[in-house]
Amino acid sequence: MLTLIKNIDRLNKVIFYLIGIMLIVMSATIAYQVFSRFALGASLSWSEELARYLMAWVVFMGAALAIRKGELIGVEAIVDLSSDSIKKVLKLLVCIVCVAFSIFLIVKGIEMVQVVENQRSPAMRIPMTYVYASIPVSGVLMALNSIVVAIELFRKDGEK
């Protein structure tokens, strides 16, 4: 189990850096779009589309990292307000709900990817499967992180 946790944490570190790169690209694209529109008088046809698709990936993958770090505010607020005796039970319940929701994302995300497999984005002409793949990919990441959180709930304090 310890190897699984370490591997998921390594994967999360890679995802964290990927999210950072996507945010940089998204910000630079939007900044260049604003400059291009107001300084050069010419608007880019693809910048808004790229920013939107990157944002989808960032949000979905960021949610997976938030699960691992216990930073899903709506969920964690309920747990934090609870007494110590039921916190562990609530955290486990949250993990189970997150895994169930992740499975839903995986199944429905795969269905959506299959529906758009022949479509291309209007401006950049990239396959829409790349955009919609963010849903099942992040569903897998969310499920893995929820399972790791559940495992850590039941590990003894001495285990590292």
Side-chain angles (χ1 to χ4, degrees):
M1 290 296 174
L2 186 58
T3 306
L4 173 69
I5 293 171
K6 284 183 180 181
N7 287 334
I8 297 300
D9 286 340
R10 283 187 197 115
L11 178 62
N12 285 340
K13 187 176 255 187
V14 170
I15 291 166
F16 179 78
Y17 288 115
L18 282 173
I19 288 172
I21 291 167
M22 284 189 262
L23 284 171
I24 290 168
V25 170
M26 187 174 67
S27 299
T29 302
I30 292 169
Y32 185 68
Q33 166 66 7
V34 170
F35 172 77
S36 175
R37 179 176 290 163
F38 292 107
L40 304 176
S43 186
L44 303 173
S45 62
W46 51 268
S47 61
E48 182 184 341
E49 190 173 280
L50 176 63
R52 190 175 335 126
Y53 298 158
L54 287 173
M55 179 63 78
W57 275 95
V58 166
V59 167
F60 277 114
M61 291 197 314
L65 296 182
I67 287 172
R68 177 69 178 106
K69 294 182 178 191
E71 295 177 352
L72 289 175
I73 191 163
V75 174
E76 295 302 320
I78 295 169
V79 173
D80 290 342
L81 293 174
S82 304
S83 65
D84 289 338
S85 60
I86 61 170
K87 274 188 180 184
K88 199 173 196 177
V89 173
L90 281 176
K91 285 183 178 183
L92 180 62
L93 181 62
V94 166
C95 289
I96 292 169
V97 170
C98 284
V99 168
F101 179 69
S102 300
I103 292 169
F104 175 79
L105 284 178
I106 294 165
V107 170
K108 292 299 179 182
I110 290 170
E111 287 176 11
M112 291 175 72
V113 167
Q114 290 170 341
V115 166
V116 299
E117 69 184 346
N118 295 322
Q119 293 181 6
R120 294 199 168 270
S121 68
M124 295 187 304
R125 307 300 302 158
I126 62 170
M128 290 303 291
T129 53
Y130 295 156
V131 177
Y132 283 90
S134 64
I135 300 169
V137 168
S138 64
V140 169
L141 295 172
M142 287 182 207
L144 290 172
N145 280 305
S146 296
I147 291 167
V148 166
V149 169
I151 290 170
E152 286 184 335
L153 281 175
F154 294 100
R155 287 180 50 210
K156 295 184 178 117
D157 292 332
E159 288 184 64
K160 293 262 173 158

